[in-house]
Amino acid sequence: MGAIGTAVLLEYLLDERAEREDLEVVVLTSGAKMRESEAKLAEKLKEFDPDLVLVVSPNASLPGPKEAREILKGKPVIVVSDAPAKKVKDELEREGFGYILVTADSMIGARREFLDPTEMALYNSYVINVLANTGALRLVQEEIDRVIGEIKEGRTPELPRIVVTAKKAVEAGRFSNPYAKAKAMASYFIAEKVAEITVKGCFVEKDPQNYIPLVCSAHEMMRTASKLAEEAREIEKSNDTVFRNPHARDGRILSKTKLMEKPS
Amino acid sequence: MGAIGTAVLLEYLLDERAEREDLEVVVLTSGAKMRESEAKLAEKLKEFDPDLVLVVSPNASLPGPKEAREILKGKPVIVVSDAPAKKVKDELEREGFGYILVTADSMIGARREFLDPTEMALYNSYVINVLANTGALRLVQEEIDRVIGEIKEGRTPELPRIVVTAKKAVEAGRFSNPYAKAKAMASYFIAEKVAEITVKGCFVEKDPQNYIPLVCSAHEMMRTASKLAEEAREIEKSNDTVFRNPHARDGRILSKTKLMEKPS
Amino acid sequence: MGAIGTAVLLEYLLDERAEREDLEVVVLTSGAKMRESEAKLAEKLKEFDPDLVLVVSPNASLPGPKEAREILKGKPVIVVSDAPAKKVKDELEREGFGYILVTADSMIGARREFLDPTEMALYNSYVINVLANTGALRLVQEEIDRVIGEIKEGRTPELPRIVVTAKKAVEAGRFSNPYAKAKAMASYFIAEKVAEITVKGCFVEKDPQNYIPLVCSAHEMMRTASKLAEEAREIEKSNDTVFRNPHARDGRILSKTKLMEKPS
Amino acid sequence: MGAIGTAVLLEYLLDERAEREDLEVVVLTSGAKMRESEAKLAEKLKEFDPDLVLVVSPNASLPGPKEAREILKGKPVIVVSDAPAKKVKDELEREGFGYILVTADSMIGARREFLDPTEMALYNSYVINVLANTGALRLVQEEIDRVIGEIKEGRTPELPRIVVTAKKAVEAGRFSNPYAKAKAMASYFIAEKVAEITVKGCFVEKDPQNYIPLVCSAHEMMRTASKLAEEAREIEKSNDTVFRNPHARDGRILSKTKLMEKPS
Amino acid sequence: MGAIGTAVLLEYLLDERAEREDLEVVVLTSGAKMRESEAKLAEKLKEFDPDLVLVVSPNASLPGPKEAREILKGKPVIVVSDAPAKKVKDELEREGFGYILVTADSMIGARREFLDPTEMALYNSYVINVLANTGALRLVQEEIDRVIGEIKEGRTPELPRIVVTAKKAVEAGRFSNPYAKAKAMASYFIAEKVAEITVKGCFVEKDPQNYIPLVCSAHEMMRTASKLAEEAREIEKSNDTVFRNPHARDGRILSKTKLMEKPS
Amino acid sequence: MGAIGTAVLLEYLLDERAEREDLEVVVLTSGAKMRESEAKLAEKLKEFDPDLVLVVSPNASLPGPKEAREILKGKPVIVVSDAPAKKVKDELEREGFGYILVTADSMIGARREFLDPTEMALYNSYVINVLANTGALRLVQEEIDRVIGEIKEGRTPELPRIVVTAKKAVEAGRFSNPYAKAKAMASYFIAEKVAEITVKGCFVEKDPQNYIPLVCSAHEMMRTASKLAEEAREIEKSNDTVFRNPHARDGRILSKTKLMEKPS
C-alpha cells in the first residue's frame, strides 16, 4: 500500500537470484494509493494463509495500514514503514506486531508541478541506491530472514522492533574502511533530512513559488545522498572488501568479502 | 513474475502521486521466481475481474509467463518484458496480446559469488535510473495510459506492440538539447549491451574465475550507463527544459517544461 | 571570538579588492577561544571608537560573546553568529543589537581524534564554499553594506535582524536557473543538518567508537554540500548568468550578470 | 594586512579545537587593505607585549608590511607571505626576521568586472583547500608550533626561513600513497602558476576583453587545483592513512594515522 | 593506411622514451585514406628492407590493405586492424601473415555534420585512453616486442594471431584489484559496442535526423568508456599497484609495480 | 621525428573523414627517435616531390630537425614543434620556414621508472584531448589548410609564424560561453606548465626519489588539464553551441554550430 523505496524490491531481497526452494512469496499491492477501503486486500491475502506477513507502507500510523494489519492479526506480522511510523511504535509493540522503520526512506516530493512518473522513478532509484549502499536494506533482509528461519524451525519467531538509524544501517553495511562507513552515515543522514523538506513542501507551503523549489531541492538532496553512498562502496571496491551475503538455495545466508572468493 | 527493472515501479508510473480517482490497481507477484506453477496467480488475478492486465516478467517466451497470459486471455493483456521476448513477438501479436519490450532492461548478473540482495538492489537502482532518464519508462507509461483511456471511453483498446529501442526511448524523453539526447541514447545502448555480458556470465561460462569478472563488469556497465543518463538530464536541468508529464487527478496526462510553470 | 566560517573572510567581504576609500576596518580576534576574560578585547576595540561593530562568534548565547557586546553597547552592534544563537534572538532585539544568524554555518567536529589543523582548514574551506555559492555570504555582505551606507549618510542605521535560512540565502544568490537554486537550497539544508551531527558527536556521545564516525560523517556532509553548491554555480556559469555585485571604490554596490559586461 | 589564503585561518591552525591552555592569541588586522598608514596597527599590537609576532600579508616586499615589521623589531617576528616576497628573503634574514613564504598562495584575480565578495570567498575556499590538502598549512603550523615551543622553554627561538615549495608541502602532508603525493604536488604546482596569470590579468593587460578571461581562467585553475588536492586526500582516506596531528591541551603536537585510533 | 586508434602511437609503443638502441623504425602512412593506389607506399617501404612489417589499417579485409600486404609478402608481416578484419582471419593465417585485431578500436562516427578535425582528435583521445588503460595496447606491444626479440635472435618469428578481446586486454593490463579489472572490461565492452552504432550511423541510416544522433551517441559511448577505464587505473593508483613494463635501452622489457621502485 | 601530441593525428586533421579528393598525404616518421642520422628520411621524402612539407618534432632547435629542414629547403616547409623551439623562432623566420609552436604540447615525463608504453599512450591521450578541446589543434589545422589553399591556387603561400598561446588557441576554439573559454584557457595554462616540471624531472633531478614524484605529478597535471578542457566542451554541448569545421570533399573548410544543422 503506497510507495516507499524499501518496498519496491522487498520480495527480491529475500531471493535475489530466484532460486530459493524454501520460500514462496506472494505480493499483493494496491499501487500508490492507501485508502482504507483497500485494506480489503488484506482479506484477499489471508486466503493464501501465509506463514509471515509483511505490511509495507509509508506512515504506518494512518488508518489504511492500520486496518490492514488488524485484519492480519493472528499471523506474525512485520510492519515495514518509514520515519512517521515512529509515532505508533509503542502501539505496534503492544499489539504484538514487529516493525522495521527505515528513517532514511523519506517521503517523495509529491507536488504535481514537479512529480511526474519519470521524476518519481528517478527519486526511487536514488532512495534504493542509498538504502542498498548504506546497509539499510541488508538490515531489513537479515531481520526478515531471521524470522523466516525461526518459522521454518517451527519456533514462534521473535519479531523485529527496529528503527533503522544511520548507525544501525552502516553496521549492517559491514564496511571495512572507516571513511567509507562515515560517508555511508553521511548519506543516510542526508536522506533522513529529505523528509523534513518534502513534508514542508507538500503539506505546509501552499504557494507553488515556495513549494516547487522545496520539493526540487529535496530530490537534489536524495540524488546527492546517492552519490555519496556510491563513494562509500567505491572505496570498499578499491580495497576488495565489499561484503556480500547471498542466499543459498536452501535459504541460508552465506557471506564473503573478496570478490573472487566463494561465499560460505 | 520474476524481476525486471521496468516492473518494480510500474504501478506507480500510472499514479505517481497516489491521487488518481479513475484508477484502481491490484498487483499480484510471485517474487523473484517464475515457475510455471506460479501462473496460478493469474487465476487469482482473474477473480478481480480487471479491465486491463499487465503481465510483467523477464523473457516472456518462457513457459511460466506464457501460461499466465493464456489464462488471462479474453481480457486486454499487455505483456511487458525484455529483449529475449522479441523471439515471441509474432506469436504475441497472433494471439492478440499487446507487448512492450524494453531492450535496455537487461538481465541481472545472477551469480551467487556476486549477486547478494544488496548488489541486486543496486543494479535495479541503476536500471531504473537509465530507464527513467532516457525516456523508456515514459514510453511505457504513455502507452498504458493511452490504453486505459480507450477502455475508459468504452472503446476496444488498441494494444501497444512496441520494442523500446534507444530511438523510441529518447523520443519519449522529449529532450530539448541534442547532446542530452545523444547521451541518453548512448546510455540506452550500453544498458542493452549489458544483457549480452550477463547471459554469457550466467549461462555460458562455467568457471567462476571467468564468470565473476563478467557479471561484475556487466554491473559496472549499467552503473556507467546510469551516470551517463544523469548527464543527459543535468543538461536539460541546466537549460530549464526538463519535460514533465504528471497525471491529473482524473487520469489525464498533463505536461510542462519550465520548472516553475503549471502543468496543463 | 571563536571560529565560524562566516567570520574568516568577513572583513574582505566588504572590500574584496582592497580599494574602497570609504572604509577603515580593524579586526580584533582572540583566536579559537571565547573565554569570558577575552571579552576585554572588546575594551581594546572601543579605543578605536568605531562607527559600527560586528561581534562575530559561534553560539552568541554564551557568556563571552554576551559580555563583549554589553561592553560595546552604545555603538551600533551587529551580532554575527550561527544557529544556536537563535535562542537569544529576542534578547538581542530587546537590547538593541542587530543580528545575522547563519544557520548553515554549522559547528565543526571538534574531537581530538579527528580534528587537527588540516581537517579544521578543510572543513572551513567547505563551509565558506557553501556559504558563498548559496548566497548566504552575499546576504551578510548586503546587510552590513546597507548599515554602513546609512551610517555614512548620517542616519541611525536600521540594524538587521535576520536568520539566514535556505530560502533567504538563495534569494541573495540571485540564481537565474531554478535547478541551480534548488541545488543551492539542498546544499544549504545539508549544511544546516551538519550541526545536529556534530553536536551529538561532540557533546552527547562519550565513546570514541561512536563519536569519531559521527564527526567524520558530519564533515563528509559538509564536503558533499560544497560539491552540490558548486553544481549550482556551474549551471549559472554554463548560462553566463552568474550574478556579481562588486564594490565600487566609493563603497557603492555595483552589479552585473554577463561575465564580459561592465558592472554598473 | 591584506588577504592571503594562509592568513584567514592562521590563528585556528594553532588551536584547532579552542582548548589549548598554553596559548593566548590576539589578531589585529586591517581588512583587505595594506596602506602604510595602517602599520600603526603594529603599534597597537606592541601594547599587548606579545612573545611572538606573525606579520601576515601578501607581497611582504611592499612598504606597509615592511614598516609594520620594523616597528615590531626586537620581538621574534615571523613574516608569513607569498611568492613575491621571495624578493626580500635575504633582507628579511639580514634583519633577523623569520619567514614562511607560501608560493601556492597565489594572488586573487582582483578585477572589478570579476571579483565580487562571493567570488573572493570562493577563491579563498579553493586556496585554503589546496594549502590544507597538500600539507602546506601543516608546514606553517609545525614551524610556528616549534617556535612557540622554544619560547615556552625559555630559549631564543630559531626562526623559520622557509619557502614552501611543492616538495616541502607534500613532505609535511605525510602521504602514504605515492600517487596521492604526486597529485598533491600537481595541485600545488597549478596553484603556484595561478599567480602568473592573475598578475598578468591585474597589472599587465589593460583591456577588459583581455583581462576578464585571464582572471577568470586563473580562478578556474585554482578550482581545479582544489579538486585535484581532494583526490589526493580521498586516496589516503580509502587506505585509512590520513595523517593527523592535533594539538594536546598543553600545546604539544600529537599524531595518528588510522581514523579510529587515539592520537599520541 | 587509414586511421585507427591503435595506429596513432604504435611506433612509440615500442620505444616510449626514444632510447632503444636496437630498433630503427620507419613509418610510412597515407593519411586518412586507404585507396588501393596508395598501396604503392608498400613498394616504397620495401626499399627500406625491413626486418618486420606492421600493416596497420581499419578493416584489413578491404582491397587497399590487402594489396599492401601482398606486396610485402616474404617479409614477416603483422596486420594490425580492428573488428571487421575478423572476416579475413583465416585468410591471413593461410597466407602466412600474423594479425592483431583490436575489437574495441571501433570505427569513428564519420559523418560530415558531426566529424570535424577537432571531434576526430577527441574521439582518438578517448580510444587511445581506453586501449591504454584496459591493457589492449600492452598486449599489442608485448606481441610485437616478442616477435622483434625472436628476429633479433635470428629465429623465424612466431607471428601473433590474436583477436584482442576484453578478457585478453585486461590480462595484459595486469590489474591487482578485481573491480579495477571489471571496470576495465566494462570499458572495453562499451568501446566494442561503439562500432555497431557508428556502422549504422555511417552506412545504414541515410537521413541526417537519424544518423547525427547515432554517431554523436557513439562518441559519447567512447567518452564514457574512457572515463570508466580511468576509474580502473585510479583504483590501481590508490593501491600503488600500477603495473609498468618499460623498455630497457637494449630493448628488453622490464617490469615493476610499486611507483617508487626500480624496474627490473 | 620524435613524439609530440600535435603530431600523432596531424595527417588526419586535414582529412578527418578520409574523403578529400584534393589532397594526397605521405607521412614518413622515424618513431620516437630524432637522431641526426635519421634526417635522411628527409631525403626520402624529397623523392615524393611534395607541394608542402611539415617537419614535426619536439624541440626544433636540436640538430636532427634542423638538418631535416635544411635538406627540404626550397619547398614550403612548416615546422610544427613545441615550446623549446621558441629559441629558434627568429632563425626559422630568417631561413624562410614557417612555424607553428604549440606551447601546451609539453614534454612527456620520460623516466624509465615511470614511463612505459601504457603511460606514454595515456599521456598522449590527455595531451590530444587538451589540444583538441581548447582549440589549439584547430588553429594548426586552419593554418595548414590556408597554406594548402594558397598552393592550390598557384600562389606562393604565406607560411604561418605562430606561437600558439592560450589566447590564440581558445580563439580558434570559437567558444560561445565565456566560462567555457576561461576553462579552456586554464586547461591550456596548466598544460604549458607541465613542461617546466618534466624538464626538471628529466634533466635536473638525478635522484629517483626526487624525479619520480615530479614526472608523476606532471602527468597528473596533464590529466587534470584534460578534465578541465572537457568541462569547457561540455558547457558548449549543453548550449548546443559546439563549433565544427569539417572539410568538404574538395578540401574547403565548412562550418556549423548547432548539432542538427548542415555545415556550410
Side-chain angles (χ1 to χ4, degrees), chain C residues 206-220:
Chain C
K206 298 304 174 199
D207 181 352
Q209 299 304 310
N210 289 334
Y211 66 64
I212 298 177
L214 278 178
V215 292
C216 188
S217 73
H219 283 214
E220 291 292 338

CSV table of all heavy atoms in Angstrom, one decimal, chain C residues 206-220:
chain,number,residue,atom,x,y,z
C,206,LYS,N,30.0,9.7,24.2
C,206,LYS,CA,31.2,9.8,25.0
C,206,LYS,C,32.3,8.8,24.5
C,206,LYS,O,33.4,8.9,24.9
C,206,LYS,CB,30.9,9.5,26.5
C,206,LYS,CG,29.9,10.5,27.1
C,206,LYS,CD,30.5,11.9,27.0
C,206,LYS,CE,29.5,13.0,27.5
C,206,LYS,NZ,29.8,14.3,27.0
C,207,ASP,N,31.8,7.8,23.8
C,207,ASP,CA,32.7,6.7,23.4
C,207,ASP,C,33.3,7.1,22.0
C,207,ASP,O,32.6,7.3,21.1
C,207,ASP,CB,31.9,5.4,23.3
C,207,ASP,CG,32.8,4.2,22.9
C,207,ASP,OD1,33.9,4.4,22.5
C,207,ASP,OD2,32.2,3.1,22.9
C,208,PRO,N,34.6,7.1,21.9
C,208,PRO,CA,35.3,7.4,20.6
C,208,PRO,C,34.8,6.5,19.5
C,208,PRO,O,34.7,7.0,18.4
C,208,PRO,CB,36.8,7.2,20.9
C,208,PRO,CG,36.9,7.3,22.4
C,208,PRO,CD,35.6,6.9,23.0
C,209,GLN,N,34.5,5.3,19.8
C,209,GLN,CA,34.0,4.4,18.7
C,209,GLN,C,32.7,4.9,18.2
C,209,GLN,O,32.3,4.6,17.1
C,209,GLN,CB,33.8,3.0,19.3
C,209,GLN,CG,35.1,2.3,19.8
C,209,GLN,CD,36.2,2.3,18.8
C,209,GLN,OE1,35.9,1.9,17.6
C,209,GLN,NE2,37.3,2.8,19.1
C,210,ASN,N,32.0,5.7,18.9
C,210,ASN,CA,30.7,6.3,18.5
C,210,ASN,C,30.9,7.7,17.9
C,210,ASN,O,30.3,8.0,16.9
C,210,ASN,CB,29.7,6.3,19.6
C,210,ASN,CG,29.2,5.0,19.9
C,210,ASN,OD1,29.2,4.0,19.1
C,210,ASN,ND2,28.7,4.8,21.2
C,211,TYR,N,31.7,8.5,18.6
C,211,TYR,CA,31.7,9.9,18.2
C,211,TYR,C,32.7,10.1,17.0
C,211,TYR,O,32.4,11.0,16.2
C,211,TYR,CB,31.9,10.9,19.3
C,211,TYR,CG,33.3,10.8,20.1
C,211,TYR,CD1,34.5,11.2,19.4
C,211,TYR,CD2,33.3,10.6,21.4
C,211,TYR,CE1,35.7,11.2,20.1
C,211,TYR,CE2,34.5,10.6,22.1
C,211,TYR,CZ,35.7,10.9,21.5
C,211,TYR,OH,36.9,10.9,22.2
C,212,ILE,N,33.7,9.3,16.8
C,212,ILE,CA,34.6,9.5,15.6
C,212,ILE,C,33.8,9.4,14.3
C,212,ILE,O,33.8,10.3,13.5
C,212,ILE,CB,35.8,8.6,15.7
C,212,ILE,CG1,36.7,8.9,16.9
C,212,ILE,CG2,36.7,8.8,14.4
C,212,ILE,CD1,37.9,8.0,17.1
C,213,PRO,N,33.1,8.2,14.2
C,213,PRO,CA,32.3,8.2,12.9
C,213,PRO,C,31.3,9.3,12.8
C,213,PRO,O,31.1,9.8,11.6
C,213,PRO,CB,31.5,6.8,13.1
C,213,PRO,CG,32.4,6.0,14.0
C,213,PRO,CD,33.0,7.0,15.0
C,214,LEU,N,30.7,9.8,13.9
C,214,LEU,CA,29.8,10.9,13.8
C,214,LEU,C,30.4,12.1,13.2
C,214,LEU,O,29.9,12.8,12.3
C,214,LEU,CB,29.1,11.1,15.1
C,214,LEU,CG,27.9,10.2,15.5
C,214,LEU,CD1,27.4,10.6,16.9
C,214,LEU,CD2,26.8,10.4,14.5
C,215,VAL,N,31.5,12.6,13.9
C,215,VAL,CA,32.1,13.8,13.4
C,215,VAL,C,32.7,13.7,12.0
C,215,VAL,O,32.6,14.6,11.2
C,215,VAL,CB,33.2,14.4,14.4
C,215,VAL,CG1,32.5,14.8,15.7
C,215,VAL,CG2,34.3,13.3,14.7
C,216,CYS,N,33.2,12.5,11.7
C,216,CYS,CA,33.7,12.3,10.4
C,216,CYS,C,32.6,12.3,9.4
C,216,CYS,O,32.8,13.0,8.3
C,216,CYS,CB,34.4,10.9,10.4
C,216,CYS,SG,35.3,10.6,8.8
C,217,SER,N,31.5,11.8,9.7
C,217,SER,CA,30.3,11.8,8.7
C,217,SER,C,29.8,13.2,8.6
C,217,SER,O,29.4,13.6,7.5
C,217,SER,CB,29.2,10.8,9.1
C,217,SER,OG,28.5,11.3,10.2
C,218,ALA,N,29.9,14.0,9.6
C,218,ALA,CA,29.4,15.4,9.6
C,218,ALA,C,30.3,16.2,8.6
C,218,ALA,O,29.8,17.0,7.8
C,218,ALA,CB,29.5,16.0,10.9
C,219,HIS,N,31.6,16.0,8.6
C,219,HIS,CA,32.5,16.7,7.6
C,219,HIS,C,32.2,16.2,6.2
C,219,HIS,O,32.3,16.9,5.3
C,219,HIS,CB,33.9,16.5,8.1
C,219,HIS,CG,34.3,17.4,9.2
C,219,HIS,ND1,35.5,18.0,9.3
C,219,HIS,CD2,33.6,17.9,10.3
C,219,HIS,CE1,35.6,18.8,10.4
C,219,HIS,NE2,34.4,18.7,11.0
C,220,GLU,N,31.9,14.9,6.1
C,220,GLU,CA,31.6,14.4,4.8
C,220,GLU,C,30.3,15.1,4.2
C,220,GLU,O,30.2,15.3,3.0
C,220,GLU,CB,31.4,12.9,4.8
C,220,GLU,CG,32.7,12.0,5.0
C,220,GLU,CD,33.7,12.1,3.8
C,220,GLU,OE1,33.2,12.4,2.7
C,220,GLU,OE2,34.9,11.9,4.1
